[in-house]
Amino acid sequence: MQITEVTIHPSNEGLLRAYVNIVFANCFMIREIRVIRGPPGLFVSMPAKKQIDGTYRQIAYPANAETRNMIQRVIVAEYKKVVAGSDPVSNENQKANTK
């Protein structure tokens, strides 16, 4: 399935670098994917819901490694394009710009 749209929302919340929405084949969207800065570099974290016991359960995820790698490559490349075109965005600046 082809990724037809990627929307990056930069953030500076600790290790979180951005929230991402992606659309597959113009018909299926996954929201709130996260771009995280880890020891080996940037990686993509799929959306998860916190359970009553404090653990997290992924609510959308790739069914195989090939798809996960494709999604990660596309998102990280788009993230790098977005941040290269602007200064890092702080939460204070985002809040000020929305008022």
Side-chain angles (χ1 to χ4, degrees), residues 46-65:
M46 299 304 283
K49 182 175 181 177
K50 190 172 185 176
Q51 303 297 298
I52 294 171
D53 65 0
T55 62
Y56 286 87
R57 181 174 181 200
Q58 285 189 329
I59 53 178
Y61 53 90
N64 58 53

Side-chain angles (χ1 to χ4, degrees), residues 15-71:
L15 298 176
L16 178 68
R17 293 289 159 235
Y19 289 100
V20 180
N21 301 331
I22 60 174
V23 178
F24 293 92
N26 292 319
C27 65
F28 185 77
M29 176 184 272
I30 300 177
R31 299 184 70 183
E32 295 195 30
I33 296 170
R34 295 173 306 281
V35 176
I36 308 289
R37 169 141 335 262
L42 296 173
F43 68 92
V44 171
S45 175
M46 299 304 283
K49 182 175 181 177
K50 190 172 185 176
Q51 303 297 298
I52 294 171
D53 65 0
T55 62
Y56 286 87
R57 181 174 181 200
Q58 285 189 329
I59 53 178
Y61 53 90
N64 58 53
E66 180 182 349
T67 304
R68 177 176 294 281
N69 290 335
M70 183 264 303
I71 291 170

